[in-house]
Amino acid sequence: NKLENLISPTYEEIALDLENQLANLDGGYEKLTTAMSKQGEQWHREIDIVINKMKTEISEIKIKHRDILQKHLDEIKQIQALIKQTLVAIEEINKFTEVSPTIEYSSKIIEFSKLPPTVKVTLPTFIPKPLDHEKLYNMFGQITPLSTATEENVLSLIQPNTSVRVLLDEPELVATIQTGYENVTSVTYLNEDCVWTSGLTKDIKCFNMKGELLHTVSNKSKQRPNDIAVDSDGNLLFIDGISRTVNKVKNGQTEVLIRLRGWSPCNLCVTSNGDLLVTMFSDDFTQCKVIRYSGSTEKQTIQFDDEGKPLYSEKLKTKYITENRNHDICVADSEANAVVVVNQDGKLRWRYIGHPSVTKKEPFEPVGITTDSQSRILTADCYNHCIHILDQDGQFLRSIDNCDLEYPCGLCVDNNDNLFVSEHFNGNVKKIKFLR
C-alpha cells in the first residue's frame, strides 16, 4: 500500500516537475534573448537620439561659421568699393589742367594700407571616444549565473503531529537584559538560556536570561561587527565589514570562513540545512545581492527578478535576512522601505511595504527580521517603535506595539517562540512572549 499510494506517486510528481522544467526550457531562454533584443533596440534608439542631437549641433555651428565669414567678406567688399571710388576720383583729378584739385587731394594710401586681419575659421572635428568593450558589456546588462538549488526530499511515512500556536491578544514582556552597549544592533539565539548580542563596539557579548554576562568575543580588527548569527553546531558567526569577511568563533578561536573581493558583506543568517545566506554590496554601491554558501563555497546568487530588475536597493544600508520555515528567503530592505521575499530558487514572491494602521507617524523602515514556528514573519519597524507580524504570504496580521518598545532593531526567536528584540538607542534586549 505504501509503495502504491505514497512512494510511487511521489516519484511521479518529481518526474512530472522535471518534465515541466524541460518543456519550459526553450520558452525561458527565448524570453532571455527577447529581453536582450529589447535592450539592444533601446540602445539603438538612444544612439540615434545622440547622433541627431550632434547633427543639430553641427548645423548650428555651420550657421555660425557662415555668419563669421560673411561678416568679414562684407567688410572687405566695403573697403574694395571705397578703393574703386578713390581711383575714379584720381582719374578725374588727372583730367583737370588746374593744379588746385591736386593740391586739395588727400591721399588714402596710408588708410588703405592698414589691411584687415586674415580670418581663418577652422572646421570643427569629431573626436570619437575609444570603445571600452568591458564597460560597454557591463553597461548593457548582466546575465545572472545559472542557479541550481537542490532540496532534499524527505518522505515521511508517519504523519507528524504539529501544534498550531496562535497570537496572544496582548504580547507579554518576560525579561529585559541590559547589555551595556550604548547602541545595540543585533541579537541571535544560542540556547534555552543564552543569547549573543552586538553593538557599535568590537565586543560581542553573550548573556543569560538573568542578564548576566557569560562570554565576550572581541573582533581582532577592532571594528564593530555588521551582524551576528549562530550555526547549527552552536558556533558564533560574525561579519567584519572592514576586512570583508564572515568569521566563525570555534572553541574560542576566530577563523575566516568567507573573504570577499569587490563586495562588502552586510548581514547574514543560517538556514535550516546549515547553509549561510549573506547580503552584500558592490564596492561602488551600485549593486546588492544575496549569496548562499555551503561552508565557504558559493551555491546560489539572488539579485534580479524575472524582468532583470534588481530585487534589492543598492544603497549601503542594513539588509537583515532570515529563512522562513517554508524555505522562503526574507530580506528587510530598509532603504527600499520594504520586506522582500523570494522562494528558495530566488524567484520573487511578494513585497510588503507597511500597513497604514502602524505607519501613521513615520514611514515604514524595516530593520531586523525573523520567523516563528508557524512561518509567520516578524520585522522591526524602528521609528514607529513596533514589530509587524505577517503571514507567510505577506498579509499583515497585527503589530506588537506594547512592551514599551523603543527603536526596535535586531530580532530573533528561540525554540519556544519567544521573541528577542534589541532596542537600538538604549542598549536593552527584551524577551517577549507573543504566542499561546
Side-chain angles (χ1 to χ4, degrees):
N1 283 336
K2 287 180 180 177
L3 283 171
E4 288 180 350
N5 300 324
L6 181 62
I7 296 175
S8 181
T10 301
Y11 275 94
E12 288 177 3
E13 288 178 6
I14 296 171
L16 182 61
D17 178 66
L18 290 170
E19 288 171 357
N20 287 336
Q21 289 188 53
L22 284 169
N24 295 327
L25 192 67
D26 290 339
Y29 279 92
E30 284 176 6
K31 287 182 180 178
L32 180 64
T33 54
T34 300
M36 287 169 42
S37 298
K38 286 183 178 178
Q39 177 75 333
E41 292 169 3
Q42 179 65 29
W43 274 41
H44 282 299
R45 286 194 293 271
E46 292 297 329
I47 289 171
D48 288 341
I49 290 170
V50 171
I51 291 173
N52 290 331
K53 185 177 179 182
M54 284 191 170
K55 284 181 177 178
T56 302
E57 290 177 5
I58 290 171
S59 297
E60 292 172 353
I61 293 171
K62 182 180 176 182
I63 292 170
K64 193 173 182 180
H65 191 162
R66 186 187 301 278
D67 290 344
I68 292 170
L69 293 176
Q70 188 64 51
K71 178 184 176 183
H72 286 279
L73 179 60
D74 291 344
E75 290 174 356
I76 295 297
K77 286 186 175 180
Q78 287 177 3
I79 295 172
Q80 285 179 316
L82 290 172
I83 291 172
K84 285 182 180 178
Q85 291 175 9
T86 302
L87 289 172
V88 170
I90 291 172
E91 288 177 1
E92 289 295 324
I93 290 171
N94 286 336
K95 294 177 182 177
F96 287 108
T97 56
E98 298 179 5
V99 78
S100 59
T102 304
I103 294 171
E104 292 172 357
Y105 171 74
S106 176
S107 174
K108 305 288 185 181
I109 295 297
I110 295 175
E111 181 182 341
F112 292 138
S113 295
K114 294 178 181 178
L115 297 176
T118 302
V119 177
K120 291 287 185 181
V121 182
T122 306
L123 284 170
T125 57
F126 173 68
I127 304 173
K129 289 188 177 181
L131 288 176
D132 188 325
H133 295 287
E134 186 173 347
K135 282 187 178 179
L136 195 65
Y137 182 84
N138 290 332
M139 286 174 62
F140 187 78
Q142 184 177 5
I143 299 174
T144 58
L146 196 64
S147 174
T148 303
T150 58
E151 181 185 1
E152 293 295 329
N153 288 307
V154 180
L155 189 63
S156 177
L157 301 180
I158 301 174
Q159 186 68 27
N161 292 321
T162 57
S163 60
V164 176
R165 303 192 64 183
V166 297
L167 297 169
L168 284 173
D169 293 333
E170 191 76 12
E172 302 169 4
L173 177 62
V174 178
T176 299
I177 301 171
Q178 296 178 340
T179 65
Y181 295 114
E182 186 175 342
N183 303 98
V184 60
T185 54
S186 298
V187 58
T188 189
Y189 172 71
L190 177 59
N191 55 42
E192 290 182 6
D193 193 45
C194 300
V195 290
W196 282 103
T197 62
S198 65
L200 301 185
T201 74
K202 62 182 176 64
D203 293 329
I204 307 170
K205 302 176 185 179
C206 181
F207 293 91
N208 62 20
M209 292 304 103
K210 296 177 182 179
E212 297 170 337
L213 179 62
L214 303 179
H215 307 287
T216 300
V217 172
S218 295
N219 186 4
K220 293 179 181 178
S221 73
K222 311 297 183 184
Q223 297 296 324
R224 73 171 184 89
N226 287 9
D227 199 8
I228 57 175
V230 172
D231 69 14
S232 53
D233 296 323
N235 299 312
L236 174 67
L237 306 175
F238 69 91
I239 287 177
D240 185 332
I242 300 299
S243 63
R244 305 179 187 181
T245 57
V246 177
N247 304 274
K248 179 165 72 172
V249 181
K250 183 176 182 181
N251 299 325
Q253 300 297 315
T254 302
E255 60 183 74
V256 175
L257 194 62
I258 299 165
R259 187 181 298 276
L260 299 178
R261 291 183 179 178
W263 294 80
S264 296
C266 185
N267 297 92
L268 82 164
C269 73
V270 179
T271 68
S272 57
N273 67 352
D275 288 346
L276 287 183
L277 294 172
V278 182
T279 59
M280 60 186 71
F281 295 91
S282 60
D283 284 352
D284 58 3
F285 306 124
T286 61
Q287 299 181 71
C288 175
K289 63 183 177 181
V290 173
I291 299 292
R292 180 190 294 270
Y293 291 93
S294 177
S296 302
T297 304
E298 185 176 322
K299 288 177 61 177
Q300 184 185 16
T301 300
I302 302 169
Q303 188 174 4
F304 301 102
D305 63 16
D306 288 339
E307 297 178 357
K309 297 178 181 177
L311 287 166
Y312 313 108
S313 63
E314 296 90 358
K315 291 192 177 179
L316 182 59
K317 263 197 170 183
T318 59
K319 285 181 173 55
Y320 283 93
I321 185 169
T322 192
E323 183 194 50
N324 207 347
R325 299 302 193 276
N326 63 355
H327 304 296
D328 282 351
I329 299 166
C330 313
V331 173
D333 191 339
S334 59
E335 176 64 27
N337 304 105
V339 171
V340 182
V341 175
V342 301
N343 64 18
Q344 62 182 343
D345 296 324
K347 303 296 183 183
L348 179 64
R349 285 199 62 219
W350 49 265
R351 294 176 189 268
Y352 171 76
I353 56 173
H355 193 270
S357 67
V358 182
T359 56
K360 292 179 180 177
K361 294 182 179 179
E362 298 291 339
F364 176 57
E365 191 170 327
V367 192
I369 192 165
T370 189
T371 61
D372 68 10
S373 63
Q374 311 299 306
S375 295
R376 286 182 283 251
I377 300 164
L378 297 90
T379 187
D381 189 348
C382 186
Y383 296 104
N384 286 298
H385 310 289
C386 67
I387 310 295
H388 297 234
I389 304 179
L390 319 174
D391 68 15
Q392 65 181 8
D393 296 315
Q395 297 302 308
F396 177 79
L397 301 176
R398 63 156 297 166
S399 64
I400 301 175
D401 54 6
N402 61 337
C403 303
D404 294 323
L405 285 176
E406 295 182 11
Y407 299 101
C409 185
L411 300 181
C412 71
V413 169
D414 67 14
N415 292 336
N416 295 316
D417 280 322
N418 292 302
L419 174 66
F420 292 86
V421 184
S422 69
E423 295 182 309
H424 184 69
F425 290 110
N426 63 22
N428 291 336
V429 170
K430 289 182 174 177
K431 180 180 179 180
I432 298 172
K433 181 180 179 183
F434 68 101
L435 297 182
R436 288 195 182 95

